[in-house]
Amino acid sequence: MVAHFFGNMVHENGDFTIVMENMNYTTIAALRKTWPTRFTSNALAEQYLRQPQKLGNFVYDNRMGNGKGEGYKYRGRGWMQLTGKEMYDLFSKYIGEDCVKNPDLVATKYSLESAVFMFNQKRLWNLVSTVSDDDIRTIRRRVNGGLIGIERVIPLVKRFFNMMK
């Protein structure tokens, strides 16, 4: 499970270079690949290019505990991209500091802690018992909500597993 944790975390944070979801998409193709059910046409996707706040609110408003106009505020942060006001609230209780009031704390102070919290919260630590492609896909779906990045995560998980043998 440690290999699953590190493989997914390293992918989610771009080899420890990303602590906050950018939301500044510059191509229609990237938007449609990331959110295929939200952007079903090029015309719709084009309206959100280079508009991070508008995009964040469009894709995250009124879900994951977010109200209207809160999607961008509670976009992904930390090394595992903690997302949504509900998760920020649960994480705040977990660490004893108000990240709902100050969401940037997840990116600036609690990047690793938020990743561990995510794995705990989603009950991933004992979900699978191998590093098979199927088990990696199972974990990836729970981390990401889909299989975005799976082509990179599979070799990462296997690499970490081989290093820990």
Side-chain angles (χ1 to χ4, degrees), residues 73-74 92 98-103:
K73 181 177 183 178
Y74 298 109
S92 294
D98 193 349
C99 294
V100 173
K101 191 174 192 175
N102 188 357

Side-chain angles (χ1 to χ4, degrees), residues 60-94:
Y60 293 140
D61 270 8
N62 302 312
R63 46 188 296 245
M64 301 177 289
N66 297 334
K68 184 168 175 50
E70 292 184 321
Y72 182 76
K73 181 177 183 178
Y74 298 109
R75 67 193 180 280
R77 287 183 181 81
W79 284 347
M80 193 80 73
Q81 299 297 302
L82 186 80
T83 307
K85 187 176 185 178
E86 182 178 285
M87 290 298 275
Y88 278 79
D89 183 50
L90 291 170
F91 182 63
S92 294
K93 292 171 183 161
Y94 175 78

Side-chain angles (χ1 to χ4, degrees), residues 10-52:
V10 166
H11 173 72
E12 288 291 309
N13 64 43
D15 298 309
F16 300 100
T17 63
I18 300 167
V19 292
M20 189 177 327
E21 190 174 9
N22 184 326
M23 307 300 292
N24 190 23
Y25 283 73
T26 58
T27 69
I28 290 170
L31 266 177
R32 292 191 71 186
K33 181 180 178 189
T34 303
W35 290 288
T37 60
R38 300 254 177 207
F39 295 103
T40 55
S41 73
N42 288 348
L44 178 60
E46 189 172 21
Q47 295 174 41
Y48 292 88
L49 293 178
R50 296 178 187 85
Q51 297 187 65

Side-chain angles (χ1 to χ4, degrees), residues 3 12 17 22 30 63 95-96 98 117 125 143 159 165:
E12 288 291 309
T17 63
N22 184 326
R63 46 188 296 245
I95 58 163
D98 193 349
F117 169 78
W125 288 109
V143 167
R159 188 176 96 211
K165 281 186 186 177

Side-chain angles (χ1 to χ4, degrees), residues 118-127 142:
M118 289 277 294
F119 245 62
N120 289 339
Q121 189 64 29
K122 294 183 179 212
R123 295 178 170 85
L124 299 179
W125 288 109
N126 295 309
L127 185 62
R142 296 292 268 309

